[in-house]
Amino acid sequence: MKTFKLSIFAIALGFTANVMAQETYESAKIATEDLNGTARYVSMGGALDALGADLSTIGTNPAGMGLFRHSMVSASFGMVSQGDAAKSDFVDATNMSFDQVGFVYSKQTKENSFFNVGFNYHKSRNFDYILSAAGSLNGTASQNKLSYMKMAEGYLYPSASGSGQPYTPDWDHSYSSCSQLDDMYASNLFYASGEEDAYHYQANDYSLTRGHKGYIGEYDFNFSGNFNNRFFVGLTMGIHDVHYKHSGVYTENLVANLEDISSLTVYDDRRITGSGFDIKAGVIFRPVETSPFRIGLSVATPTWYSLTTTNSLVMKDNFGNAAYGGETYDYKLYTPWKFGISLGHTIGTMVALGAGFDYADYSTVDNRVINGEYYDWYTDSYYNSSSEDVEANSHTDRYLKGVCTFKVGAEVKPTPEMAFRLGYNVSTAMYDEKGFKDGTLDSPASYYSSATDYTNWKATNHITAGFGYNIDKLSLDLAYQYTCSKGDFKPFMEYDATKGEFGNFDRVDTELVSDNVFVKPQQVDFKRHQLILTLGYHF
């Protein structure tokens, strides 16, 4: 029976963890947003950017706040539930959610002009999600074998400690693209003792269950104006508060070997916390004075994030032998610019119609390495300097794409007190279908990675509906949202021995004697049901 050695990575990491950028797939989780906010906004698919007069437009088209003619306060809460979710000890499939609270103070300056001040908090990202996947490895692939092939291609530079003994890598990262998992496999496995032809503990199959949990809270402060009820402007400054964590269990069932190691399980826990800020601006105008038809334009700067991530990693075999790793580091992440155009029209007091288009190029997400802390004598303060992670950003540029979001919504009010709403919102795929989590990058994004799996998600659809009722100055709104997407999951990147390349290939290896590392993609689903209740008071 093989005895695991304590991973040296857990010890060495404490001296290098302060220089880090995040890799593409982790960054994408932080850079994106959900359709969330007030019940009216959600039930109309978010198509209120030109119609305005809703607190949620503070973060999409700030000029929408300029359409308020009365002050108001509102709060939203509800429930989210993941359909067909596997059981997880880390996160429940159904959770309560506090989604929004805000107010606007409206001050009339002229007969048809207003100056408004507003604040709104909303949960821009809800991370609650259980990912489950399982598939065959055909007895020819494994994470350990992949680490070995990285060594064979020169991405790890180990020195053998003896025939049939574990390899001890050279962890000078200026010469080696290796991760925490590479370290664990290199220090404890690679070969079964005395049987180099066993191909590095290949596996028959794998299974993964990971629970994601947390949120990004957005705090928006807004100034807006209404000029003669025809031209509206708004400016919003936002602060973003990140709380993300996941816990995963990944198991491979190995082919027969002399060590009788029948399975390896990797436990991966990660936390990301931090904050960021952005600025958003917008205008809405009515081209024809006698028509309620209006056009909206908006722009949002990148969100400039300063983040900290902490992870722990444990690998165990079926005998209970274990190796450990983990680290904490700081980094910066800048999301892309976002642009929007929207249309709105009302028919009397009974019908409101909205449509919108947003665009953000996620290939421009900027992963940044913190160079160190510096002193500014002029302000008598310290600040962190950062620089672009060229390798990580090159990978992001290649495998993330521009995302177009289309949204339409309608509201019908059969009586002044009652409203019925429908909406639809769809975002195109962010990930290139050939994208993969590259563990060979000469970047801290690879050095400190603790998970190898990735999912290339396709388009995301939101189908929404809602109901509203007003009682004097009190309003009650209810919304239902169904969100769905499909993705192609792989437990690790692949290796094509004929090309000597790592990537995402459309092949499955069935020959035990091959150096190839191929795995068939598994389709995974994201299905979420959400109920939102908003209580508002106008004054």
Side-chain angles (χ1 to χ4, degrees):
M1 180 179 70
K2 180 180 286 290
T3 301
F4 277 25
K5 298 190 301 179
L6 177 64
S7 170
I8 62 172
F9 200 73
I11 302 173
L13 198 57
F15 300 99
T16 59
N18 60 331
V19 286
M20 176 62 188
Q22 193 59 280
E23 59 87 21
T24 297
Y25 286 81
E26 290 293 325
S27 296
K29 296 175 185 176
I30 306 298
T32 52
E33 297 182 351
D34 296 329
L35 172 60
N36 200 25
T38 66
R40 181 171 181 255
Y41 179 82
V42 171
S43 64
M44 293 183 68
L48 286 175
D49 292 351
L51 290 171
D54 189 280
L55 283 172
S56 287
T57 62
I58 195 173
T60 54
N61 185 344
M65 297 288 287
L67 278 90
F68 277 102
R69 296 183 180 182
H70 300 280
S71 302
M72 79 162 298
V73 60
S74 74
S76 306
F77 54 92
M79 178 182 68
V80 293
S81 180
Q82 182 182 342
D84 304 324
K87 184 178 180 180
S88 170
D89 294 332
F90 178 68
V91 58
D92 295 328
T94 300
N95 298 279
M96 298 299 294
S97 179
F98 180 73
D99 298 295
Q100 177 271 332
V101 63
F103 74 89
V104 59
Y105 174 75
S106 182
K107 175 68 175 178
Q108 188 171 4
T109 58
K110 294 182 180 180
E111 181 178 356
N112 288 313
S113 298
F114 293 81
F115 175 73
N116 299 339
V117 178
F119 164 80
N120 191 59
Y121 161 84
H122 86 286
K123 186 179 292 183
S124 64
R125 192 80 164 88
N126 188 331
F127 292 115
D128 291 0
Y129 173 61
I130 301 171
L131 174 65
S132 298
S136 172
L137 295 174
N138 293 309
T140 64
S142 70
Q143 284 186 337
N144 181 59
K145 181 179 177 181
L146 183 66
S147 292
Y148 178 84
M149 299 319 299
K150 285 180 65 177
M151 183 274 293
E153 287 292 341
Y155 290 101
L156 281 73
Y157 293 91
S159 57
S161 56
S163 176
Q165 297 299 314
Y167 284 97
T168 301
D170 172 8
W171 295 115
D172 184 346
H173 287 149
S174 53
Y175 298 100
S176 177
S177 297
C178 53
S179 68
Q180 293 183 69
L181 281 172
D182 292 325
D183 163 66
M184 286 187 173
Y185 289 123
S187 300
N188 299 286
L189 291 173
F190 263 3
Y191 282 128
S193 298
E195 51 172 333
E196 283 76 359
D197 292 336
Y199 277 92
H200 338 303
Y201 291 109
Q202 298 172 118
N204 293 311
D205 53 58
Y206 73 88
S207 64
L208 169 72
T209 299
R210 175 178 291 124
H212 305 79
K213 191 173 184 179
Y215 64 93
I216 298 179
E218 184 173 342
Y219 304 81
D220 286 324
F221 303 84
N222 173 271
F223 300 94
S224 60
N226 172 346
F227 301 94
N228 296 318
N229 201 31
R230 189 173 178 185
F231 187 72
F232 311 86
V233 297
L235 180 70
T236 296
M237 292 162 284
I239 298 174
H240 302 248
D241 185 28
V242 180
H243 301 270
Y244 168 80
K245 51 186 174 181
H246 76 233
S247 292
V249 180
Y250 174 82
T251 299
E252 290 182 344
N253 294 308
L254 306 183
V255 300
N257 55 79
L258 292 181
E259 303 294 339
D260 290 328
I261 300 178
S262 60
S263 67
L264 283 175
T265 299
V266 176
Y267 302 86
D268 172 41
D269 292 276
R270 182 171 292 278
R271 307 288 186 270
I272 301 175
T273 58
S275 61
F277 70 95
D278 67 357
I279 301 172
K280 299 169 278 276
V283 297
I284 299 172
F285 60 94
R286 292 167 48 212
V288 180
E289 184 176 4
T290 58
S291 171
F293 174 73
R294 62 204 76 162
I295 300 172
L297 301 173
S298 61
V299 60
T301 69
T303 302
W304 296 286
Y305 280 115
S306 295
L307 301 169
T308 298
T309 184
T310 301
N311 94 295
S312 62
L313 192 64
V314 180
M315 182 168 68
K316 291 184 178 181
D317 66 7
N318 52 290
F319 297 109
N321 301 310
Y324 302 86
E327 92 283 347
T328 298
Y329 52 82
D330 301 323
Y331 66 102
K332 292 183 181 291
L333 174 69
Y334 300 162
T335 68
W337 286 80
K338 187 174 183 179
F339 305 91
I341 182 171
S342 53
L343 306 174
H345 187 61
T346 57
I347 303 173
T349 60
M350 293 184 62
V351 178
L353 303 172
F357 170 80
D358 295 332
Y359 179 78
D361 185 0
Y362 287 93
S363 70
T364 63
V365 168
D366 189 3
N367 304 277
R368 303 185 67 82
V369 175
I370 294 179
N371 300 321
E373 188 174 66
Y374 299 88
Y375 176 72
D376 184 348
W377 65 270
Y378 185 77
T379 61
D380 189 27
S381 61
Y382 290 88
Y383 66 95
N384 286 323
S385 172
S386 66
S387 59
E388 177 187 3
D389 186 333
V390 176
E391 284 282 313
N393 286 346
S394 177
H395 182 266
T396 298
D397 177 65
R398 185 174 181 182
Y399 294 116
L400 293 187
K401 303 187 296 184
V403 172
C404 300
T405 299
F406 302 89
K407 42 194 176 183
V408 293
E411 178 182 65
V412 177
K413 300 182 72 173
T415 69
E417 297 82 17
M418 186 181 301
F420 296 93
R421 305 172 183 120
L422 289 173
Y424 177 67
N425 181 306
V426 58
S427 294
T428 59
M430 178 194 303
Y431 301 92
D432 187 280
E433 62 181 9
K434 287 297 182 182
F436 66 100
K437 184 177 288 189
D438 192 347
T440 66
L441 298 178
D442 184 15
S443 162
S446 292
Y447 306 156
Y448 300 116
S449 179
S450 58
T452 58
D453 64 279
Y454 61 92
T455 304
N456 290 328
W457 293 102
K458 306 181 189 303
T460 302
N461 295 273
H462 308 264
I463 301 170
T464 63
F467 169 82
Y469 194 81
N470 293 330
I471 305 174
D472 194 19
K473 296 183 178 182
L474 182 67
S475 63
L476 183 151
D477 296 283
L478 183 67
Y480 167 76
Q481 176 179 195
Y482 175 66
T483 304
C484 60
S485 182
K486 296 183 181 297
D488 292 327
F489 170 91
K490 287 190 176 181
F492 40 72
M493 68 178 184
E494 298 171 291
Y495 175 71
D496 188 334
T498 60
K499 299 179 181 180
E501 295 179 355
F502 296 89
N504 180 358
F505 307 109
D506 294 324
R507 293 176 58 186
V508 176
D509 194 8
T510 57
E511 299 182 14
L512 293 176
V513 296
S514 173
D515 284 338
N516 292 333
V517 181
F518 294 134
V519 58
K520 183 179 179 180
Q522 298 295 317
Q523 181 177 290
V524 292
D525 296 321
F526 177 85
K527 298 178 182 178
R528 173 182 286 170
H529 304 272
Q530 183 179 14
L531 288 175
I532 302 175
L533 176 65
T534 299
L535 299 177
Y537 183 76
H538 301 255
F539 57 95

